[in-house]
């Protein structure tokens, strides 16, 4: 098969996934956490598209489209919740959200 | 095109959209029960379809949606939980405030669960899990005036989002290994080729296990459970404890017992280890709780561990035990939450153990319901919780995983301490230092009905265990049918 080799797709997606995972672990602002989760979801998209080309099968690309829609829905809900939290003047730092102890 | 197999899904989505639309139509105050009625009618119609479709597998939408005994049994469990929660929510402030949104979101979430149960493809499976989660994020935060509810919603969203991302990344790798998103094709590829030990497949297995463990609240991805269970409105918590758990285990069975049965040796130990740790951590942490909702959250974690035993076994017997236990677990959890929800309307901080002190003496039937529910959760014979655990542990022993059954038994022994504490508290004398705010409201009929019906089910599922076990056996066999 011509074009970008599969290993590049997997490498890029793995890097994106790990950066997202790292972001989730060290960031504390809900907006940045959402961003990191988006990065993780998009890493799956890169992998799906790569595999879809590898197998010459369109299902992977359809899956990637579905993941995009889901990610958009999640961000909408997330932003809505962040705005609602902000209106209640609750500190926008998940460590400060300590009424409920984890 | 054959759409018969998709009718449960279509009816549920139609009912949820209709319930939502009813909220914006200017129908006047007399129509305030309309959304709940539409939702209940949708659930009942879907239930009838599930009974009708009980039989050999039928597929719709080119195999993306399938209806067989396995999916229909799970659909019935989900619908029972949805109907129960609809009734329990009748006096919930958030549900009274926004009936249409509340009911519509609950129904959308239930639609997601039905989609998981009937999915025949990785895409529909993922979509179902997301539909149920995203609706639940909103439902958790629906009491926007209450800080804890917002917090619960935000926490659940972020942690649930991480879980979904991990899960879908695992699915991507599974697709990469097998070249198909169709569950049946994946099963055929994995059992035909010698893929055992393939590194990409191992990555996929670990990620899928982790993703589903987030949803099923299994250790080490359980941290969100107590916070979210406590912060969310109680009927939503009851729905998460029953419906989400059922859907997560539907996912586990479809992926592991069903599609990946060919590479069983790769994942058995992994799932068994998760099960063992989950049982121990859930049960030990529950000992320290004083809030009933938090306690039930840790109990839900421990119960997820017992259910994972059936997944780790991986055979038809294991799936059969999981299915039976899901039926029993739904009944006993609904019963326990019904009492908490009824009590919560009567006193401040009604979800603490202190608020339940002596409640059984004031309302004996509520005491009986709670006692039977917790005894069944603890696995006392002859209740259905005992039958379920017996099946799960028996399947583990039969499959050479005796150590896992022993861990389960030890966990159940620990769990006696906190389950019995609830029962004892219910029947202990009413404290003298009774706060002035303590009062008894007129019984909410719907809530009481759910409590009594679930208790009858907890006992009934044990008395009439053999027909139900036969149903579960047929369902488990259809899961493994090609």
């Amino acid at each position: 098969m011509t074009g970008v080799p599969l290993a590049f797709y997997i490498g890029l997606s793995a890097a994106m996934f790990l950066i997202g995972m790292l972001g989730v672990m060290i960031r504390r602002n809900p907006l940045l956490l959402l961003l990191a989760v988006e990065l993780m979801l998009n890493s799956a998209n890169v992998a799906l598209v790569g595999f879809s080309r590898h197998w010459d099968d369109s299902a992977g690309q359809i899956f990637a489209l579905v993941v995009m829609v889901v990610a958009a829905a999640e961000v909408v809900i997330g932003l809505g919740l962040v705005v609602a939290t902000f209106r209640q003047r609750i500190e926008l730092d998940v460590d400060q959200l300590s009424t409920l102890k984890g | 095109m054959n759409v018969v197999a998709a009718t449960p899904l279509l009816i549920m989505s139609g009912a949820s959209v209709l319930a939502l639309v009813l909220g914006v139509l200017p129908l006047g105050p007399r129509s305030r029960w309309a959304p709940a009625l539409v939702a209940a009618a949708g659930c009942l119609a879907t239930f009838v379809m599930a009974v009708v479709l009980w039989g050999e597998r039928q597929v719709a939408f080119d195999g993306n949606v399938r209806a067989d005994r396995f999916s229909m049994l799970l659909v019935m469990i989900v619908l029972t939980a949805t109907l129960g929660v609809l009734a329990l929510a009748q006096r919930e402030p958030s549900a009274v405030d926004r009936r249409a949104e509340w009911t519509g979101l609950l129904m959308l979430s239930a639609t997601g669960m039905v989609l998981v149960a009937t999915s025949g493809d990785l895409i529909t499976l993922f979509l179902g899990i997301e539909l149920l989660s995203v609706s639940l994020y909103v439902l958790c935060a629906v009491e926007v005036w209450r800080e804890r509810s917002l917090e619960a919603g935000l926490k659940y969203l972020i942690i649930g989002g991480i879980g979904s991302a991990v899960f879908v990344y695992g699915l991507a790798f599974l697709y990469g290994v097998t070249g198909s998103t169709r569950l049946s094709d994946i099963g055929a590829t994995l059992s035909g080729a010698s893929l055992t030990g393939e590194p990409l497949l191992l990555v996929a297995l670990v990620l899928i296990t982790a993703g589903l463990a987030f949803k099923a609240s299994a250790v080490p991805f359980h941290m969100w459970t107590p916070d979210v269970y406590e912060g969310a409105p109680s009927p939503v918590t009851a729905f998460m404890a029953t419906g989400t758990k059922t859907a997560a285990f539907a996912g586990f069975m479809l992926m592991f017992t069903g599609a990946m049965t060919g590479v069983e040796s790769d994942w058995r130990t992994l799932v068994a280890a998760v099960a063992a740790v989950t049982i121990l951590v859930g049960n030990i942490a529950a000992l320290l709780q004083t809030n009933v909702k938090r306690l039930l959250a840790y109990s839900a974690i421990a119960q997820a561990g017992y259910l994972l035993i059936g997944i780790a076994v991986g055979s038809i017997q294991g799936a059969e035990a999981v299915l039976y236990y899901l039926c029993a677990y739904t009944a006993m959890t609904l019963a326990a939450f019904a009492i908490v929800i009824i009590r919560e309307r009567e006193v401040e901080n009604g979800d603490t153990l202190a608020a339940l002190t002596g409640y059984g003496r004031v309302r004996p039937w509520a005491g009986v319901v709670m006692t039977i529910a917790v005894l069944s959760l603890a696995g006392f014979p002859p209740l259905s919780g005992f039958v379920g655990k017996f099946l799960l542990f028996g399947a583990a022993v039969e499959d050479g995983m005796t150590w896992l059954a022993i861990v389960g038994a030890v966990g159940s022994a620990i769990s006696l301490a906190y389950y019995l504490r609830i029962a004892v508290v219910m029947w202990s004398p009413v404290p003298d230092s009774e706060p002035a705010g303590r009062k008894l409201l007129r019984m909410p009929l719907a809530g009481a009905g759910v409590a009594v019906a679930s208790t009858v089910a907890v006992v009934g599922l044990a008395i009439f265990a053999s027909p139900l076990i036969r149903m579960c056996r047929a369902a488990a066999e259809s899961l493994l049918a090609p």
Side-chain angles (χ1 to χ4, degrees):
Chain A
M1 195 179 72
T2 55
V4 186
L6 179 64
F8 286 20
Y9 282 103
I10 300 180
L12 174 65
S13 80
M16 283 169 72
F17 188 79
L18 291 177
I19 294 171
M21 188 74 108
L22 204 66
V24 165
M25 284 191 275
I26 55 178
R27 290 292 184 175
R28 280 295 162 259
N29 183 314
L31 284 176
L32 291 172
L33 283 174
L34 277 177
L35 215 63
V37 171
E38 287 306 295
L39 202 58
M40 289 169 77
L41 282 168
N42 279 318
S43 73
N45 286 344
V46 173
L48 280 169
V49 172
F51 288 129
S52 169
R53 283 179 53 94
H54 174 72
W55 291 105
D56 199 16
D57 172 52
S58 60
Q61 305 201 13
I62 298 170
F63 202 162
L65 282 173
V66 171
V67 174
M68 281 181 203
V69 175
V70 164
E74 251 178 23
V75 170
V76 169
I77 305 287
L79 289 181
L81 286 181
V82 168
V83 170
T85 317
F86 181 71
R87 283 213 187 126
Q88 300 269 330
R89 302 189 191 288
I90 303 170
E91 191 69 41
L92 267 188
D93 180 334
V94 281
D95 281 342
Q96 301 296 312
L97 296 181
S98 54
T99 328
L100 300 173
K101 287 183 202 72
Chain B
M1 191 172 71
N2 181 16
V3 291
V4 181
T7 37
L9 195 62
L10 297 175
I11 299 173
M12 286 300 279
S13 17
S16 22
V17 173
L18 193 57
L20 274 175
V21 169
L22 282 174
V24 288
L25 293 182
L27 288 175
R30 286 183 62 196
S31 69
R32 67 178 193 280
W33 298 108
L37 286 178
V38 165
C43 284
L44 288 175
T46 316
F47 203 99
V48 171
M49 273 322 291
V51 174
V52 171
L53 284 169
W54 177 266
E56 290 310 308
R57 178 176 299 166
Q58 300 185 43
V59 294
F61 302 130
D62 197 23
N64 281 316
V65 174
R66 60 186 193 187
D68 52 18
R69 294 193 175 92
F70 170 78
S71 48
M72 288 309 118
L73 181 62
L74 286 164
V75 166
M76 289 179 208
I77 302 176
V78 165
L79 291 173
T80 313
T82 314
L83 281 170
V85 172
L86 271 175
L88 285 177
Q90 285 318 313
R91 279 207 194 160
E92 193 65 18
S94 55
V96 173
D97 195 34
R98 300 157 190 271
R99 282 177 200 278
E101 289 96 323
W102 213 100
T103 317
L105 283 167
L106 187 79
M107 286 296 284
L108 271 179
S109 189
T111 310
M113 292 166 191
V114 169
L115 181 54
V116 172
T118 57
S119 63
D121 193 285
L122 296 183
I123 303 179
T124 35
L125 178 64
F126 174 69
L127 202 57
I129 287 188
E130 281 308 289
L131 184 55
L132 87 88
S133 313
V134 169
S135 323
L136 273 176
Y137 302 150
V138 188
L139 274 179
C140 284
V142 78
E143 292 186 355
V144 278
W145 58 87
R146 203 162 52 88
E147 196 179 318
R148 288 190 160 200
S149 172
L150 271 179
E151 248 183 73
L154 201 55
K155 270 196 178 162
Y156 192 26
L157 170 92
I158 288 168
I159 296 178
I162 299 169
S164 306
V166 170
F167 181 58
V168 75
Y169 200 53
L171 293 185
F173 275 102
L174 188 61
Y175 170 64
V177 173
T178 59
S180 172
T181 57
R182 197 57 38 99
L183 287 174
S184 47
D185 292 352
I186 291 173
T189 313
L190 288 181
S191 60
S194 58
L195 284 163
T196 309
E198 179 88 6
L200 269 187
L201 182 65
L202 291 180
V203 173
L205 277 174
V206 172
L207 291 171
I208 291 173
T209 311
L212 287 172
F214 267 107
K215 302 291 170 191
S217 61
V219 176
F221 308 106
H222 66 291
M223 316 76 72
W224 60 273
T225 317
D227 286 355
V228 174
Y229 272 36
E230 189 190 355
S234 299
V236 177
T237 312
F239 192 56
M240 282 195 283
T242 53
T244 312
K245 191 133 296 183
T246 307
F249 278 93
F252 263 118
M253 281 186 278
L254 282 171
M255 296 300 304
F256 289 84
T257 321
M260 301 202 280
T261 186
V263 288
E264 202 185 60
S265 52
D266 276 351
W267 52 261
R268 277 189 71 170
T269 322
L270 175 69
V271 178
V274 173
V277 180
T278 307
I279 292 170
L280 293 177
V281 170
N283 278 320
I284 291 170
L287 291 173
L288 310 169
Q289 305 306 319
T290 52
N291 181 304
V292 182
K293 273 163 85 180
R294 264 186 108 77
L295 196 155
L296 286 174
Y298 280 108
S299 128
I301 295 172
Q303 304 283 342
Y306 302 137
L307 284 161
L308 277 172
I309 293 180
I311 306 293
V313 170
S315 56
I316 289 186
Q317 256 182 330
E320 171 196 325
V322 171
L323 287 167
Y324 180 88
Y325 201 72
L326 279 174
C327 297
Y329 172 77
T330 304
M332 50 210 189
T333 309
L334 272 182
F337 272 105
I339 301 302
V340 175
I341 290 166
I342 291 168
R343 188 61 180 148
E344 232 181 6
R345 297 273 70 78
E346 295 179 341
V347 283
E348 287 270 313
N349 299 325
D351 56 358
T352 56
L353 268 178
L356 286 178
T357 311
Y359 197 45
R361 297 199 175 198
V362 184
R363 277 214 172 109
W365 68 266
V368 171
V369 166
M370 194 59 153
T371 311
I372 290 181
V374 291
L375 287 184
S376 179
L377 280 166
F380 260 82
L383 299 165
S384 54
F386 168 75
V387 180
K389 273 186 186 162
F390 184 78
L391 289 175
L392 283 169
F393 299 169
V397 170
E398 199 139 313
D399 218 52
M401 285 190 150
T402 313
W403 67 273
L404 198 53
I406 293 173
V407 172
V410 170
S412 309
I414 301 173
S415 76
L416 279 180
Y418 61 87
Y419 285 132
L420 286 183
R421 186 160 66 133
I422 300 185
V424 169
V425 157
M426 287 295 281
W427 295 105
S428 50
V430 184
D432 293 332
S433 59
E434 192 65 333
R438 188 162 180 140
K439 57 184 184 291
L440 287 176
L441 297 179
R442 196 167 56 86
M443 225 27 240
L445 271 184
V450 172
V452 172
S454 322
T455 315
V456 171
V458 170
V459 180
L461 290 181
I463 295 174
F464 302 104
S466 45
L468 181 63
I469 292 174
R470 268 202 299 280
M471 275 178 77
C472 296
R473 159 70 52 145
E477 276 165 0
S478 77
L479 173 67
L480 281 167

